[in-house]
Amino acid sequence: MEIDVIFKIAAVGLIVTIICQILKKSDRDDIATIVSLAGLVIVLTVVLDMVVDLFDSVRSIFDLF
Amino acid sequence: MELARIIGIGLVTAVAALLLRSTKPEIAFAVTIAGGVLILLFSLDILAETFGIFGQIGEQTGIDLTLIKIILKIIAIGYLVEFAAGIVEDFGAKNIADKLVFAGKIIIFTVALPIIQTLVALVGSFLELV
């Protein structure tokens, strides 16, 4: 749970943008949207894991519900 | 040292979000959430060290543990609501963020009711003594 998570997400974002640009130039726009959706799903799952981690640590430290 | 790391994370997140904002705004939004979570996790570790003091205060002053637990719960609620409201506001839905903060206040009030009851009981017992 270090700063490399942010670098990974930024890297995924950049890669997805590059791929979308290439696909758009070779007029395959439908695949471009699918690729950007896939990138978004990957990023959101990583972020979701971090949020779950945050909520678990808050629950354990404050021994809440 | 801890602060330097948190500031570093904040700056890196801002730069990454800025980089991605022009082409992929939703991934930039995910980067800001991840940065926010990281900063909160680090500050949570710092906060966790202070909880021993809460226990000592409870023992020394004889306040029973339930009140200390309520104080901790209020801190936790404030922590989570601030996190969620910040993200929703970042997303652009300012009024939903305000509603979240408002709901957080209501929950804190309902959690803090026992404290008010003990206060009233305490004052009542003083008055009977006089």
Side-chain angles (χ1 to χ4, degrees), chain A:
Chain A
M1 194 43 70
E2 273 308 317
I3 196 163
D4 54 352
V5 179
I6 295 182
F7 293 141
K8 279 195 201 113
I9 295 178
V12 167
L14 282 178
I15 291 168
V16 165
T17 20
I18 294 166
I19 292 175
C20 279
Q21 293 298 341
I22 295 169
L23 286 175
K24 281 200 182 84
K25 286 296 174 289
S26 58
D27 56 57
R28 286 200 185 75
D29 283 357
D30 47 357
I31 303 179
T33 44
I34 294 170
V35 165
S36 62
L37 272 179
L40 185 62
V41 164
I42 293 168
V43 165
L44 285 183
T45 39
V46 170
V47 169
L48 199 65
D49 286 348
M50 292 179 65
V51 173
V52 165
D53 199 12
L54 172 73
F55 275 70
D56 283 348
S57 55
V58 166
R59 176 186 298 166
S60 63
I61 285 178
F62 291 100
D63 52 54
L64 272 166
F65 34 82

Side-chain angles (χ1 to χ4, degrees), chain B residues 17-120:
Chain B
L18 194 67
L19 198 66
L20 287 169
R21 182 153 297 145
S22 56
T23 50
K24 282 272 178 292
E26 60 277 6
I27 296 186
F29 177 59
V31 169
T32 39
I33 294 182
V37 167
L38 262 181
I39 290 175
L40 281 182
L41 276 174
F42 284 127
S43 54
L44 202 63
D45 297 343
I46 302 171
L47 194 65
E49 286 146 19
T50 64
F51 282 154
I53 297 165
F54 272 112
Q56 282 156 20
I57 291 172
E59 281 133 27
Q60 280 153 9
T61 55
I63 304 172
D64 61 352
L65 211 52
T66 49
L67 296 190
I68 303 277
K69 198 167 276 299
I70 287 172
I71 293 171
L72 288 185
K73 197 171 276 191
I74 289 174
I75 294 175
I77 291 172
Y79 208 84
L80 293 179
V81 165
E82 193 273 337
F83 168 68
I87 286 182
V88 170
E89 198 165 336
D90 210 11
F91 192 65
K94 180 87 176 61
N95 55 359
I96 296 179
D98 294 343
K99 306 256 179 323
L100 269 176
V101 170
F102 181 67
K105 283 179 189 148
I106 291 176
I107 293 170
I108 286 177
F109 175 68
T110 48
V111 166
L113 274 183
I115 294 183
I116 298 169
Q117 277 162 354
T118 41
L119 186 67
V120 168

